[in-house]
Amino acid sequence: MSHRPPAPSGRVTSAKIVIAGGFGVGKTTLVGSVSEITPLTTEAIMTSAGVGVDDTRQVPGKTTTTVAMDFGRISIDRDLILYLFGTPGQTRFWFMWDELVRGAIGAVVLVDTRRLADCFAAIDFFEHRRLPYLVAINCFDGMQYHDPQDVRDALAISSDIPVVACDARNRESTKHVLISLVEYVLTMRRSRAVAPA
C-alpha cells in the first residue's frame, strides 16, 4: 500500500495492535504480509537449546523463531495508521508481553486449529487485562478446516468476540482481520460510552 497524504483536516490517528498466538502459528508472516514498511523482526535461528522446549512436530519446516517482537505498519485509510507488534510464541519469552501490550487498543489471537490449545494462554492473557481481541483462524494451505463457530465453542469464548478466518500470507486477508478488530474495538467503546453507570 502506498503512503497516503493525511486527511484534509490534517488529523491522523494511530493505534497499536498486538498480534499474538502460539509458537509457529504465523504471527511473523501476518505482520510481514500486511506491513507497508519492511517489518522489523527479531527472528533467530532455532538451536539445540530449544530441543525439548519448542515443540516443532506440527511445524516441521520451522528453522527460525521470534525472540523479542515483530513490528510493522499499515495505513488503513488516509487518517488511520496501525502499528503492529507481534509477540513471541514460546512461553519463555512471555515476560515481554506486558510491555508489548502497553497502549494497545486490541489484539489479534492467531490460531492454528491443528494446535488450538496453544492459543489458550494468549486468550487468558488478554481477557485478564480486559484488552479487546479477536480470534483469527490461520488457514494453512489455503484451507479452512473448521467453522468459526466450532472454533469459538472449542475455545469457550464469548459470542461477541469475533472469530474470522484468514490466510496470514495474504495481504488483503490480513488487512480484513485488522479492520475487523478496529471495528470491534470501536463498537465496544461506543457501547461502553452509552451504557448506564
Side-chain angles (χ1 to χ4, degrees), residues 23 43-46 61-66 90:
F23 172 69
E43 290 284 291
I45 295 173
M46 296 177 66
K62 188 163 179 63
T63 59
T64 62
T65 188
T66 301
Q90 301 96 314

Side-chain angles (χ1 to χ4, degrees), residues 53-184:
V53 177
D54 299 327
D55 184 359
T56 59
R57 288 176 293 180
Q58 294 294 324
V59 283
K62 188 163 179 63
T63 59
T64 62
T65 188
T66 301
V67 295
M69 68 172 194
D70 300 313
F71 174 78
R73 182 188 79 199
I74 179 172
S75 299
I76 295 297
D77 60 27
R78 294 177 4 153
D79 58 357
L80 178 60
I81 297 172
L82 300 179
Y83 293 101
L84 311 175
F85 290 78
T87 65
Q90 301 96 314
T91 56
R92 69 181 179 273
F93 297 120
W94 284 354
F95 67 91
M96 290 184 270
W97 282 37
D98 281 321
E99 291 301 319
L100 289 175
V101 301
R102 185 168 293 144
I105 65 161
V108 172
V109 177
L110 192 61
V111 303
D112 176 350
T113 56
R114 299 169 297 182
R115 300 175 291 129
L116 206 53
D118 291 356
C119 74
F120 286 128
I123 289 172
D124 290 344
F125 181 88
F126 298 126
E127 286 184 348
H128 179 73
R129 283 153 186 84
R130 301 183 69 187
L131 184 69
Y133 69 92
L134 66 66
V135 172
I137 304 165
N138 194 0
C139 299
F140 289 88
D141 304 320
M143 299 292 295
Q144 182 177 337
Y145 295 102
H146 300 281
D147 181 75
Q149 185 59 47
D150 293 338
V151 172
R152 174 189 312 287
D153 293 343
L155 296 174
I157 57 175
S158 172
S159 62
D160 65 318
I161 296 170
V163 178
V164 298
C166 75
D167 181 340
R169 302 165 299 178
N170 180 284
R171 179 179 178 79
E172 288 305 311
S173 181
T174 56
K175 185 177 175 182
H176 171 73
V177 169
L178 298 172
I179 291 169
S180 296
L181 176 63
V182 170
E183 290 173 345
Y184 173 60

